[in-house]
Amino acid sequence: MGAERGLPVDERERRDLCELLAEVGPDAPTMCEGWTALDLAAHLVLREHFSRWSVEKMAAQKAKGLPALIDRLRRGAPPVPWRIPGLRTAMNGTEFLIHHEDVRRANGLGPRTGRPDLDALAWKTSGLTGWRAARKIRPHGLELRVPDGRTRGFGSEERAVLTGEPVELLLYLSGRRDVARVELSGDPVAVEAMLGTDNGL
């Protein structure tokens, strides 16, 4: 699995996630509480077709079996809005990146390396996810740091500081704290506030 030049990041993540789902099987755990790989595949199919994932609709999709759901995902999303340049990365790239890691991390697979496209996507997304997290710890602030020296700051100068690779920051800020490889430091009160919030997207 890797990045091919010219292939949009959302397509790469879609393909690679489908391969991983087929490898781990329908009963494999994910980082989405209570969801197996089969649940996650059903969610992804419903989401792309603007269907609310009610218990009944989830059950109907799951009854088709994981191979059928993977085949449906492999065929790609409807053209609008999922394949519009720019929107496809923001809407589907991040979704598939996070859920790909949901399956990887829950099944003992560590961070992927050599994927600057994923780092770029995660860092771009951190502008929104960091802002959302900072709102939850007001009046304190939040600073995001990556090893290459880039930072993003939100809110007050009395800040919690979250340090890690861009994908790890994204996982932490989307509620995957148990598997995100980050360091939390900074103002003690801001850190305590950060630990007391639910940062799920």
mmCIF file of all heavy atoms in Angstrom, residues 11-61:
data_model
loop_
_atom_site.group_PDB
_atom_site.id
_atom_site.type_symbol
_atom_site.label_atom_id
_atom_site.label_comp_id
_atom_site.label_asym_id
_atom_site.label_seq_id
_atom_site.Cartn_x
_atom_site.Cartn_y
_atom_site.Cartn_z
ATOM 1 N N GLU A 11 -8.924 8.570 -3.091
ATOM 2 C CA GLU A 11 -8.990 7.303 -3.828
ATOM 3 C C GLU A 11 -7.984 6.303 -3.282
ATOM 4 O O GLU A 11 -8.265 5.105 -3.185
ATOM 5 C CB GLU A 11 -8.756 7.533 -5.318
ATOM 6 C CG GLU A 11 -9.927 8.191 -6.040
ATOM 7 C CD GLU A 11 -9.742 8.178 -7.544
ATOM 8 O OE1 GLU A 11 -8.986 7.310 -8.047
ATOM 9 O OE2 GLU A 11 -10.335 9.028 -8.212
ATOM 10 N N ARG A 12 -6.797 6.788 -2.943
ATOM 11 C CA ARG A 12 -5.797 5.891 -2.363
ATOM 12 C C ARG A 12 -6.277 5.331 -1.035
ATOM 13 O O ARG A 12 -6.156 4.131 -0.775
ATOM 14 C CB ARG A 12 -4.468 6.631 -2.167
ATOM 15 C CG ARG A 12 -3.767 6.964 -3.458
ATOM 16 C CD ARG A 12 -2.330 7.365 -3.208
ATOM 17 N NE ARG A 12 -2.175 8.610 -2.475
ATOM 18 C CZ ARG A 12 -2.140 9.806 -3.052
ATOM 19 N NH1 ARG A 12 -2.276 9.923 -4.351
ATOM 20 N NH2 ARG A 12 -1.974 10.887 -2.316
ATOM 21 N N GLU A 13 -6.830 6.209 -0.200
ATOM 22 C CA GLU A 13 -7.295 5.748 1.104
ATOM 23 C C GLU A 13 -8.494 4.811 0.971
ATOM 24 O O GLU A 13 -8.615 3.841 1.721
ATOM 25 C CB GLU A 13 -7.649 6.934 2.004
ATOM 26 C CG GLU A 13 -6.440 7.663 2.551
ATOM 27 C CD GLU A 13 -5.588 6.766 3.435
ATOM 28 O OE1 GLU A 13 -5.874 6.663 4.646
ATOM 29 O OE2 GLU A 13 -4.632 6.148 2.912
ATOM 30 N N ARG A 14 -9.357 5.075 0.023
ATOM 31 C CA ARG A 14 -10.497 4.187 -0.231
ATOM 32 C C ARG A 14 -9.995 2.793 -0.615
ATOM 33 O O ARG A 14 -10.408 1.779 -0.048
ATOM 34 C CB ARG A 14 -11.371 4.751 -1.344
ATOM 35 C CG ARG A 14 -12.530 3.826 -1.762
ATOM 36 C CD ARG A 14 -13.185 4.315 -3.045
ATOM 37 N NE ARG A 14 -13.741 5.630 -2.868
ATOM 38 C CZ ARG A 14 -14.962 5.863 -2.359
ATOM 39 N NH1 ARG A 14 -15.735 4.850 -1.990
ATOM 40 N NH2 ARG A 14 -15.405 7.095 -2.233
ATOM 41 N N ARG A 15 -9.093 2.754 -1.586
ATOM 42 C CA ARG A 15 -8.566 1.484 -2.058
ATOM 43 C C ARG A 15 -7.848 0.731 -0.943
ATOM 44 O O ARG A 15 -8.067 -0.467 -0.723
ATOM 45 C CB ARG A 15 -7.601 1.729 -3.217
ATOM 46 C CG ARG A 15 -6.964 0.473 -3.791
ATOM 47 C CD ARG A 15 -5.667 0.795 -4.479
ATOM 48 N NE ARG A 15 -4.717 1.399 -3.551
ATOM 49 C CZ ARG A 15 -3.626 2.069 -3.938
ATOM 50 N NH1 ARG A 15 -3.379 2.236 -5.211
ATOM 51 N NH2 ARG A 15 -2.805 2.576 -3.035
ATOM 52 N N ASP A 16 -6.973 1.447 -0.226
ATOM 53 C CA ASP A 16 -6.179 0.786 0.811
ATOM 54 C C ASP A 16 -7.047 0.325 1.976
ATOM 55 O O ASP A 16 -6.801 -0.731 2.567
ATOM 56 C CB ASP A 16 -5.079 1.716 1.309
ATOM 57 C CG ASP A 16 -4.018 1.984 0.250
ATOM 58 O OD1 ASP A 16 -4.049 1.312 -0.804
ATOM 59 O OD2 ASP A 16 -3.161 2.859 0.476
ATOM 60 N N LEU A 17 -8.069 1.104 2.313
ATOM 61 C CA LEU A 17 -8.973 0.680 3.379
ATOM 62 C C LEU A 17 -9.762 -0.556 2.952
ATOM 63 O O LEU A 17 -9.962 -1.481 3.751
ATOM 64 C CB LEU A 17 -9.919 1.817 3.763
ATOM 65 C CG LEU A 17 -11.001 1.481 4.804
ATOM 66 C CD1 LEU A 17 -10.386 0.908 6.083
ATOM 67 C CD2 LEU A 17 -11.842 2.718 5.114
ATOM 68 N N CYS A 18 -10.211 -0.590 1.704
ATOM 69 C CA CYS A 18 -10.926 -1.774 1.217
ATOM 70 C C CYS A 18 -10.043 -3.013 1.306
ATOM 71 O O CYS A 18 -10.498 -4.098 1.710
ATOM 72 C CB CYS A 18 -11.393 -1.553 -0.219
ATOM 73 S SG CYS A 18 -12.839 -0.471 -0.373
ATOM 74 N N GLU A 19 -8.784 -2.878 0.950
ATOM 75 C CA GLU A 19 -7.860 -4.001 1.039
ATOM 76 C C GLU A 19 -7.689 -4.448 2.489
ATOM 77 O O GLU A 19 -7.643 -5.651 2.786
ATOM 78 C CB GLU A 19 -6.506 -3.620 0.438
ATOM 79 C CG GLU A 19 -6.543 -3.435 -1.063
ATOM 80 C CD GLU A 19 -5.200 -3.012 -1.630
ATOM 81 O OE1 GLU A 19 -4.214 -2.928 -0.847
ATOM 82 O OE2 GLU A 19 -5.124 -2.759 -2.843
ATOM 83 N N LEU A 20 -7.590 -3.489 3.384
ATOM 84 C CA LEU A 20 -7.413 -3.825 4.797
ATOM 85 C C LEU A 20 -8.661 -4.492 5.371
ATOM 86 O O LEU A 20 -8.566 -5.468 6.124
ATOM 87 C CB LEU A 20 -7.067 -2.565 5.593
ATOM 88 C CG LEU A 20 -6.792 -2.759 7.080
ATOM 89 C CD1 LEU A 20 -5.653 -3.740 7.318
ATOM 90 C CD2 LEU A 20 -6.485 -1.410 7.738
ATOM 91 N N LEU A 21 -9.840 -3.985 5.020
ATOM 92 C CA LEU A 21 -11.086 -4.593 5.495
ATOM 93 C C LEU A 21 -11.190 -6.040 5.032
ATOM 94 O O LEU A 21 -11.586 -6.928 5.798
ATOM 95 C CB LEU A 21 -12.291 -3.791 4.994
ATOM 96 C CG LEU A 21 -12.521 -2.422 5.629
ATOM 97 C CD1 LEU A 21 -13.594 -1.651 4.869
ATOM 98 C CD2 LEU A 21 -12.917 -2.554 7.096
ATOM 99 N N ALA A 22 -10.836 -6.287 3.785
ATOM 100 C CA ALA A 22 -10.878 -7.657 3.271
ATOM 101 C C ALA A 22 -9.884 -8.547 4.012
ATOM 102 O O ALA A 22 -10.151 -9.728 4.265
ATOM 103 C CB ALA A 22 -10.572 -7.659 1.777
ATOM 104 N N GLU A 23 -8.751 -7.978 4.385
ATOM 105 C CA GLU A 23 -7.712 -8.738 5.080
ATOM 106 C C GLU A 23 -8.121 -9.095 6.508
ATOM 107 O O GLU A 23 -7.933 -10.232 6.949
ATOM 108 C CB GLU A 23 -6.423 -7.926 5.104
ATOM 109 C CG GLU A 23 -5.268 -8.596 5.828
ATOM 110 C CD GLU A 23 -4.036 -7.714 5.877
ATOM 111 O OE1 GLU A 23 -3.870 -6.870 4.976
ATOM 112 O OE2 GLU A 23 -3.243 -7.867 6.824
ATOM 113 N N VAL A 24 -8.696 -8.133 7.244
ATOM 114 C CA VAL A 24 -8.994 -8.383 8.664
ATOM 115 C C VAL A 24 -10.294 -9.148 8.859
ATOM 116 O O VAL A 24 -10.487 -9.819 9.873
ATOM 117 C CB VAL A 24 -9.011 -7.071 9.477
ATOM 118 C CG1 VAL A 24 -7.659 -6.386 9.400
ATOM 119 C CG2 VAL A 24 -10.137 -6.141 9.034
ATOM 120 N N GLY A 25 -11.252 -9.024 7.939
ATOM 121 C CA GLY A 25 -12.508 -9.755 8.036
ATOM 122 C C GLY A 25 -13.592 -9.006 8.773
ATOM 123 O O GLY A 25 -13.333 -8.005 9.456
ATOM 124 N N PRO A 26 -14.835 -9.457 8.665
ATOM 125 C CA PRO A 26 -15.997 -8.709 9.164
ATOM 126 C C PRO A 26 -16.043 -8.521 10.672
ATOM 127 O O PRO A 26 -16.621 -7.545 11.160
ATOM 128 C CB PRO A 26 -17.193 -9.541 8.686
ATOM 129 C CG PRO A 26 -16.636 -10.925 8.509
ATOM 130 C CD PRO A 26 -15.233 -10.719 8.013
ATOM 131 N N ASP A 27 -15.470 -9.444 11.431
ATOM 132 C CA ASP A 27 -15.569 -9.372 12.884
ATOM 133 C C ASP A 27 -14.411 -8.643 13.542
ATOM 134 O O ASP A 27 -14.355 -8.542 14.773
ATOM 135 C CB ASP A 27 -15.667 -10.783 13.471
ATOM 136 C CG ASP A 27 -16.911 -11.516 12.995
ATOM 137 O OD1 ASP A 27 -17.951 -10.853 12.822
ATOM 138 O OD2 ASP A 27 -16.842 -12.744 12.784
ATOM 139 N N ALA A 28 -13.494 -8.123 12.765
ATOM 140 C CA ALA A 28 -12.339 -7.432 13.328
ATOM 141 C C ALA A 28 -12.777 -6.168 14.057
ATOM 142 O O ALA A 28 -13.717 -5.488 13.632
ATOM 143 C CB ALA A 28 -11.348 -7.079 12.221
ATOM 144 N N PRO A 29 -12.114 -5.824 15.139
ATOM 145 C CA PRO A 29 -12.475 -4.609 15.882
ATOM 146 C C PRO A 29 -12.037 -3.349 15.154
ATOM 147 O O PRO A 29 -11.186 -3.398 14.248
ATOM 148 C CB PRO A 29 -11.698 -4.768 17.196
ATOM 149 C CG PRO A 29 -10.495 -5.579 16.817
ATOM 150 C CD PRO A 29 -10.988 -6.543 15.765
ATOM 151 N N THR A 30 -12.622 -2.230 15.543
ATOM 152 C CA THR A 30 -12.192 -0.920 15.062
ATOM 153 C C THR A 30 -12.117 0.009 16.272
ATOM 154 O O THR A 30 -12.545 -0.348 17.367
ATOM 155 C CB THR A 30 -13.187 -0.324 14.044
ATOM 156 O OG1 THR A 30 -14.369 0.118 14.737
ATOM 157 C CG2 THR A 30 -13.568 -1.338 12.972
ATOM 158 N N MET A 31 -11.606 1.203 16.068
ATOM 159 C CA MET A 31 -11.561 2.187 17.144
ATOM 160 C C MET A 31 -12.895 2.907 17.319
ATOM 161 O O MET A 31 -13.022 3.735 18.217
ATOM 162 C CB MET A 31 -10.452 3.214 16.870
ATOM 163 C CG MET A 31 -9.045 2.642 16.936
ATOM 164 S SD MET A 31 -8.683 1.774 18.493
ATOM 165 C CE MET A 31 -8.959 3.076 19.689
ATOM 166 N N CYS A 32 -13.875 2.610 16.489
ATOM 167 C CA CYS A 32 -15.218 3.163 16.657
ATOM 168 C C CYS A 32 -15.940 2.267 17.661
ATOM 169 O O CYS A 32 -16.205 1.092 17.355
ATOM 170 C CB CYS A 32 -15.966 3.189 15.330
ATOM 171 S SG CYS A 32 -15.164 4.183 14.063
ATOM 172 N N GLU A 33 -16.238 2.810 18.809
ATOM 173 C CA GLU A 33 -16.759 2.010 19.915
ATOM 174 C C GLU A 33 -17.977 1.183 19.496
ATOM 175 O O GLU A 33 -18.963 1.707 18.972
ATOM 176 C CB GLU A 33 -17.140 2.907 21.091
ATOM 177 C CG GLU A 33 -17.561 2.145 22.330
ATOM 178 C CD GLU A 33 -17.826 3.052 23.512
ATOM 179 O OE1 GLU A 33 -17.627 4.282 23.389
ATOM 180 O OE2 GLU A 33 -18.230 2.530 24.566
ATOM 181 N N GLY A 34 -17.884 -0.130 19.701
ATOM 182 C CA GLY A 34 -18.986 -1.030 19.400
ATOM 183 C C GLY A 34 -19.084 -1.466 17.960
ATOM 184 O O GLY A 34 -19.943 -2.275 17.624
ATOM 185 N N TRP A 35 -18.220 -0.941 17.099
ATOM 186 C CA TRP A 35 -18.288 -1.265 15.679
ATOM 187 C C TRP A 35 -17.201 -2.249 15.279
ATOM 188 O O TRP A 35 -16.045 -2.108 15.656
ATOM 189 C CB TRP A 35 -18.120 -0.012 14.823
ATOM 190 C CG TRP A 35 -19.373 0.777 14.638
ATOM 191 C CD1 TRP A 35 -20.566 0.592 15.265
ATOM 192 C CD2 TRP A 35 -19.549 1.883 13.756
ATOM 193 N NE1 TRP A 35 -21.478 1.517 14.834
ATOM 194 C CE2 TRP A 35 -20.883 2.324 13.912
ATOM 195 C CE3 TRP A 35 -18.720 2.548 12.866
ATOM 196 C CZ2 TRP A 35 -21.399 3.407 13.190
ATOM 197 C CZ3 TRP A 35 -19.229 3.627 12.144
ATOM 198 C CH2 TRP A 35 -20.553 4.043 12.309
ATOM 199 N N THR A 36 -17.595 -3.242 14.484
ATOM 200 C CA THR A 36 -16.655 -4.140 13.830
ATOM 201 C C THR A 36 -16.320 -3.585 12.450
ATOM 202 O O THR A 36 -16.878 -2.561 12.018
ATOM 203 C CB THR A 36 -17.260 -5.538 13.668
ATOM 204 O OG1 THR A 36 -18.405 -5.427 12.787
ATOM 205 C CG2 THR A 36 -17.694 -6.124 15.011
ATOM 206 N N ALA A 37 -15.451 -4.294 11.742
ATOM 207 C CA ALA A 37 -15.143 -3.896 10.371
ATOM 208 C C ALA A 37 -16.393 -3.895 9.497
ATOM 209 O O ALA A 37 -16.547 -3.044 8.611
ATOM 210 C CB ALA A 37 -14.089 -4.831 9.790
ATOM 211 N N LEU A 38 -17.302 -4.828 9.747
ATOM 212 C CA LEU A 38 -18.545 -4.884 8.979
ATOM 213 C C LEU A 38 -19.401 -3.648 9.249
ATOM 214 O O LEU A 38 -19.973 -3.059 8.317
ATOM 215 C CB LEU A 38 -19.321 -6.150 9.330
ATOM 216 C CG LEU A 38 -20.659 -6.357 8.614
ATOM 217 C CD1 LEU A 38 -20.459 -6.453 7.107
ATOM 218 C CD2 LEU A 38 -21.352 -7.616 9.137
ATOM 219 N N ASP A 39 -19.512 -3.241 10.503
ATOM 220 C CA ASP A 39 -20.264 -2.025 10.846
ATOM 221 C C ASP A 39 -19.674 -0.808 10.133
ATOM 222 O O ASP A 39 -20.412 0.031 9.596
ATOM 223 C CB ASP A 39 -20.225 -1.785 12.357
ATOM 224 C CG ASP A 39 -21.005 -2.813 13.143
ATOM 225 O OD1 ASP A 39 -22.212 -2.934 12.928
ATOM 226 O OD2 ASP A 39 -20.388 -3.490 13.987
ATOM 227 N N LEU A 40 -18.357 -0.706 10.159
ATOM 228 C CA LEU A 40 -17.698 0.448 9.554
ATOM 229 C C LEU A 40 -17.935 0.491 8.055
ATOM 230 O O LEU A 40 -18.219 1.558 7.491
ATOM 231 C CB LEU A 40 -16.201 0.398 9.860
ATOM 232 C CG LEU A 40 -15.356 1.546 9.310
ATOM 233 C CD1 LEU A 40 -15.886 2.893 9.789
ATOM 234 C CD2 LEU A 40 -13.902 1.374 9.714
ATOM 235 N N ALA A 41 -17.847 -0.650 7.390
ATOM 236 C CA ALA A 41 -18.096 -0.694 5.949
ATOM 237 C C ALA A 41 -19.532 -0.280 5.631
ATOM 238 O O ALA A 41 -19.776 0.472 4.675
ATOM 239 C CB ALA A 41 -17.808 -2.091 5.412
ATOM 240 N N ALA A 42 -20.477 -0.739 6.424
ATOM 241 C CA ALA A 42 -21.880 -0.362 6.207
ATOM 242 C C ALA A 42 -22.066 1.139 6.387
ATOM 243 O O ALA A 42 -22.776 1.791 5.604
ATOM 244 C CB ALA A 42 -22.775 -1.131 7.176
ATOM 245 N N HIS A 43 -21.442 1.698 7.398
ATOM 246 C CA HIS A 43 -21.509 3.142 7.635
ATOM 247 C C HIS A 43 -20.977 3.916 6.441
ATOM 248 O O HIS A 43 -21.590 4.894 5.990
ATOM 249 C CB HIS A 43 -20.707 3.487 8.895
ATOM 250 C CG HIS A 43 -20.219 4.900 8.937
ATOM 251 N ND1 HIS A 43 -21.051 5.971 9.168
ATOM 252 C CD2 HIS A 43 -18.972 5.414 8.759
ATOM 253 C CE1 HIS A 43 -20.337 7.091 9.150
ATOM 254 N NE2 HIS A 43 -19.085 6.782 8.895
ATOM 255 N N LEU A 44 -19.841 3.508 5.902
ATOM 256 C CA LEU A 44 -19.233 4.221 4.786
ATOM 257 C C LEU A 44 -20.114 4.184 3.548
ATOM 258 O O LEU A 44 -20.234 5.183 2.828
ATOM 259 C CB LEU A 44 -17.858 3.635 4.485
ATOM 260 C CG LEU A 44 -16.778 3.922 5.539
ATOM 261 C CD1 LEU A 44 -15.526 3.099 5.257
ATOM 262 C CD2 LEU A 44 -16.445 5.406 5.596
ATOM 263 N N VAL A 45 -20.744 3.046 3.276
ATOM 264 C CA VAL A 45 -21.650 2.947 2.126
ATOM 265 C C VAL A 45 -22.849 3.869 2.310
ATOM 266 O O VAL A 45 -23.223 4.627 1.403
ATOM 267 C CB VAL A 45 -22.112 1.490 1.923
ATOM 268 C CG1 VAL A 45 -23.260 1.431 0.918
ATOM 269 C CG2 VAL A 45 -20.943 0.623 1.454
ATOM 270 N N LEU A 46 -23.462 3.830 3.477
ATOM 271 C CA LEU A 46 -24.632 4.673 3.737
ATOM 272 C C LEU A 46 -24.285 6.154 3.667
ATOM 273 O O LEU A 46 -25.031 6.956 3.100
ATOM 274 C CB LEU A 46 -25.229 4.337 5.107
ATOM 275 C CG LEU A 46 -25.953 2.997 5.213
ATOM 276 C CD1 LEU A 46 -26.300 2.695 6.663
ATOM 277 C CD2 LEU A 46 -27.224 2.996 4.362
ATOM 278 N N ARG A 47 -23.152 6.510 4.237
ATOM 279 C CA ARG A 47 -22.733 7.918 4.271
ATOM 280 C C ARG A 47 -22.607 8.492 2.862
ATOM 281 O O ARG A 47 -23.050 9.621 2.615
ATOM 282 C CB ARG A 47 -21.405 8.033 5.007
ATOM 283 C CG ARG A 47 -20.740 9.396 4.914
ATOM 284 C CD ARG A 47 -19.359 9.376 5.550
ATOM 285 N NE ARG A 47 -18.659 10.608 5.265
ATOM 286 C CZ ARG A 47 -17.906 10.817 4.189
ATOM 287 N NH1 ARG A 47 -17.767 9.848 3.287
ATOM 288 N NH2 ARG A 47 -17.293 11.972 4.006
ATOM 289 N N GLU A 48 -22.017 7.745 1.960
ATOM 290 C CA GLU A 48 -21.782 8.273 0.624
ATOM 291 C C GLU A 48 -23.058 8.424 -0.190
ATOM 292 O O GLU A 48 -23.054 9.096 -1.218
ATOM 293 C CB GLU A 48 -20.802 7.371 -0.140
ATOM 294 C CG GLU A 48 -19.387 7.527 0.352
ATOM 295 C CD GLU A 48 -18.364 6.917 -0.577
ATOM 296 O OE1 GLU A 48 -18.679 5.909 -1.253
ATOM 297 O OE2 GLU A 48 -17.247 7.448 -0.625
ATOM 298 N N HIS A 49 -24.117 7.826 0.278
ATOM 299 C CA HIS A 49 -25.382 7.930 -0.445
ATOM 300 C C HIS A 49 -26.417 8.702 0.371
ATOM 301 O O HIS A 49 -27.621 8.556 0.186
ATOM 302 C CB HIS A 49 -25.881 6.534 -0.830
ATOM 303 C CG HIS A 49 -24.981 5.885 -1.832
ATOM 304 N ND1 HIS A 49 -23.838 5.212 -1.474
ATOM 305 C CD2 HIS A 49 -25.024 5.862 -3.198
ATOM 306 C CE1 HIS A 49 -23.223 4.782 -2.566
ATOM 307 N NE2 HIS A 49 -23.911 5.162 -3.614
ATOM 308 N N PHE A 50 -25.892 9.531 1.281
ATOM 309 C CA PHE A 50 -26.714 10.451 2.060
ATOM 310 C C PHE A 50 -27.854 9.761 2.785
ATOM 311 O O PHE A 50 -28.960 10.271 2.898
ATOM 312 C CB PHE A 50 -27.275 11.560 1.163
ATOM 313 C CG PHE A 50 -26.203 12.393 0.546
ATOM 314 C CD1 PHE A 50 -25.825 12.198 -0.777
ATOM 315 C CD2 PHE A 50 -25.544 13.362 1.277
ATOM 316 C CE1 PHE A 50 -24.811 12.951 -1.350
ATOM 317 C CE2 PHE A 50 -24.534 14.122 0.711
ATOM 318 C CZ PHE A 50 -24.170 13.925 -0.607
ATOM 319 N N SER A 51 -27.582 8.548 3.255
ATOM 320 C CA SER A 51 -28.589 7.811 4.018
ATOM 321 C C SER A 51 -28.278 7.917 5.506
ATOM 322 O O SER A 51 -27.124 7.777 5.907
ATOM 323 C CB SER A 51 -28.602 6.333 3.621
ATOM 324 O OG SER A 51 -29.000 6.180 2.282
ATOM 325 N N ARG A 52 -29.286 8.186 6.279
ATOM 326 C CA ARG A 52 -29.091 8.161 7.736
ATOM 327 C C ARG A 52 -28.855 6.717 8.147
ATOM 328 O O ARG A 52 -29.574 5.822 7.710
ATOM 329 C CB ARG A 52 -30.327 8.717 8.449
ATOM 330 C CG ARG A 52 -30.579 10.187 8.163
ATOM 331 C CD ARG A 52 -31.782 10.697 8.943
ATOM 332 N NE ARG A 52 -32.050 12.081 8.631
ATOM 333 C CZ ARG A 52 -31.461 13.115 9.236
ATOM 334 N NH1 ARG A 52 -30.569 12.884 10.192
ATOM 335 N NH2 ARG A 52 -31.755 14.342 8.905
ATOM 336 N N TRP A 53 -27.831 6.514 8.977
ATOM 337 C CA TRP A 53 -27.517 5.134 9.337
ATOM 338 C C TRP A 53 -28.309 4.701 10.565
ATOM 339 O O TRP A 53 -27.783 4.556 11.660
ATOM 340 C CB TRP A 53 -26.020 4.911 9.503
ATOM 341 C CG TRP A 53 -25.246 6.018 10.131
ATOM 342 C CD1 TRP A 53 -24.923 6.184 11.443
ATOM 343 C CD2 TRP A 53 -24.664 7.126 9.446
ATOM 344 N NE1 TRP A 53 -24.188 7.320 11.621
ATOM 345 C CE2 TRP A 53 -24.017 7.914 10.418
ATOM 346 C CE3 TRP A 53 -24.642 7.515 8.107
ATOM 347 C CZ2 TRP A 53 -23.331 9.091 10.083
ATOM 348 C CZ3 TRP A 53 -23.962 8.682 7.794
ATOM 349 C CH2 TRP A 53 -23.326 9.443 8.757
ATOM 350 N N SER A 54 -29.616 4.544 10.367
ATOM 351 C CA SER A 54 -30.493 4.018 11.414
ATOM 352 C C SER A 54 -30.142 2.560 11.666
ATOM 353 O O SER A 54 -29.442 1.920 10.878
ATOM 354 C CB SER A 54 -31.950 4.128 10.975
ATOM 355 O OG SER A 54 -32.182 3.310 9.850
ATOM 356 N N VAL A 55 -30.642 2.038 12.758
ATOM 357 C CA VAL A 55 -30.387 0.638 13.097
ATOM 358 C C VAL A 55 -30.859 -0.271 11.966
ATOM 359 O O VAL A 55 -30.172 -1.221 11.578
ATOM 360 C CB VAL A 55 -31.084 0.272 14.420
ATOM 361 C CG1 VAL A 55 -30.986 -1.233 14.687
ATOM 362 C CG2 VAL A 55 -30.482 1.055 15.572
ATOM 363 N N GLU A 56 -32.028 0.049 11.415
ATOM 364 C CA GLU A 56 -32.597 -0.790 10.356
ATOM 365 C C GLU A 56 -31.742 -0.728 9.088
ATOM 366 O O GLU A 56 -31.475 -1.769 8.455
ATOM 367 C CB GLU A 56 -34.030 -0.343 10.048
ATOM 368 C CG GLU A 56 -35.025 -0.575 11.179
ATOM 369 C CD GLU A 56 -34.917 0.463 12.290
ATOM 370 O OE1 GLU A 56 -34.277 1.524 12.073
ATOM 371 O OE2 GLU A 56 -35.475 0.208 13.388
ATOM 372 N N LYS A 57 -31.328 0.464 8.692
ATOM 373 C CA LYS A 57 -30.534 0.588 7.473
ATOM 374 C C LYS A 57 -29.148 -0.021 7.656
ATOM 375 O O LYS A 57 -28.607 -0.634 6.726
ATOM 376 C CB LYS A 57 -30.428 2.054 7.057
ATOM 377 C CG LYS A 57 -31.731 2.598 6.490
ATOM 378 C CD LYS A 57 -31.558 3.990 5.915
ATOM 379 C CE LYS A 57 -32.842 4.464 5.261
ATOM 380 N NZ LYS A 57 -32.698 5.807 4.660
ATOM 381 N N MET A 58 -28.568 0.142 8.827
ATOM 382 C CA MET A 58 -27.274 -0.486 9.088
ATOM 383 C C MET A 58 -27.407 -2.003 8.998
ATOM 384 O O MET A 58 -26.570 -2.684 8.399
ATOM 385 C CB MET A 58 -26.755 -0.082 10.468
ATOM 386 C CG MET A 58 -26.155 1.305 10.530
ATOM 387 S SD MET A 58 -24.508 1.429 9.758
ATOM 388 C CE MET A 58 -23.495 0.575 10.975
ATOM 389 N N ALA A 59 -28.484 -2.536 9.594
ATOM 390 C CA ALA A 59 -28.692 -3.987 9.573
ATOM 391 C C ALA A 59 -28.870 -4.493 8.147
ATOM 392 O O ALA A 59 -28.344 -5.551 7.768
ATOM 393 C CB ALA A 59 -29.902 -4.354 10.421
ATOM 394 N N ALA A 60 -29.594 -3.726 7.326
ATOM 395 C CA ALA A 60 -29.823 -4.135 5.942
ATOM 396 C C ALA A 60 -28.515 -4.166 5.148
ATOM 397 O O ALA A 60 -28.289 -5.083 4.346
ATOM 398 C CB ALA A 60 -30.815 -3.188 5.277
ATOM 399 N N GLN A 61 -27.671 -3.180 5.385
ATOM 400 C CA GLN A 61 -26.381 -3.168 4.696
ATOM 401 C C GLN A 61 -25.491 -4.304 5.184
ATOM 402 O O GLN A 61 -24.863 -5.008 4.382
ATOM 403 C CB GLN A 61 -25.678 -1.821 4.904
ATOM 404 C CG GLN A 61 -26.307 -0.658 4.172
ATOM 405 C CD GLN A 61 -26.259 -0.814 2.671
ATOM 406 O OE1 GLN A 61 -25.281 -1.293 2.110
ATOM 407 N NE2 GLN A 61 -27.333 -0.412 1.994
#
